[in-house]
Amino acid sequence: MSEQPDRLLQLLGICMRARQLVSGEEQVLKAIQQQKAKLVFIGSDISQLTQKKLTDKSHFYEIPETKAYTAARLTQAIGLHRATIAVVDAGFAKKMITLLG
């Protein structure tokens, strides 16, 4: 099971290098509202208010979201200090969703 999360985080890093994601709370909210986001990662250890705001917005626009990783793991995966990330490429998002199970 430890192989799958590592694989997903590696894919997140590739997605970052391909410039197919946005990061940071404001940018992610904007991507969700514009329906550009295909999958949203929310750090499991960020404030409850921020988690609720992102989760509610994702549900309203019917965009899948996950809280499977901490902000530190997301930061490590993309190389930037971020707690929220939105994948904007449908192909990357589809593969990540299958890896999430």
Side-chain angles (χ1 to χ4, degrees), residues 55-79:
T55 301
D56 289 350
K57 195 67 77 172
S58 295
H59 287 172
F60 181 80
Y61 288 99
E62 298 179 351
I63 297 169
E65 49 85 20
T66 181
K67 296 176 192 148
Y69 300 104
T70 63
R73 294 291 302 258
L74 295 174
T75 295
Q76 182 182 16
I78 67 169

Side-chain angles (χ1 to χ4, degrees), residues 7-95:
R7 192 163 168 211
L8 195 141
L9 291 173
Q10 288 173 352
L11 191 57
L12 201 56
I14 293 168
C15 188
M16 173 67 177
R17 289 188 293 282
R19 298 178 185 233
Q20 295 299 315
L21 58 81
V22 295
S23 60
E25 181 183 347
E26 294 303 318
Q27 292 296 97
V28 169
L29 284 171
K30 189 175 174 182
I32 293 169
Q33 289 171 333
Q34 294 173 348
Q35 296 185 342
K36 291 181 180 177
K38 307 301 181 203
L39 174 63
V40 177
F41 287 87
I42 302 169
S44 60
D45 55 348
I46 64 174
S47 75
Q48 294 295 319
L49 181 63
T50 305
Q51 281 188 19
K52 182 175 178 358
K53 185 189 324 180
L54 289 161
T55 301
D56 289 350
K57 195 67 77 172
S58 295
H59 287 172
F60 181 80
Y61 288 99
E62 298 179 351
I63 297 169
E65 49 85 20
T66 181
K67 296 176 192 148
Y69 300 104
T70 63
R73 294 291 302 258
L74 295 174
T75 295
Q76 182 182 16
I78 67 169
L80 294 172
H81 184 67
R82 299 289 189 268
T84 57
I85 299 170
V87 177
V88 295
D89 181 79
F92 277 119
K94 183 178 178 183
K95 180 64 175 174

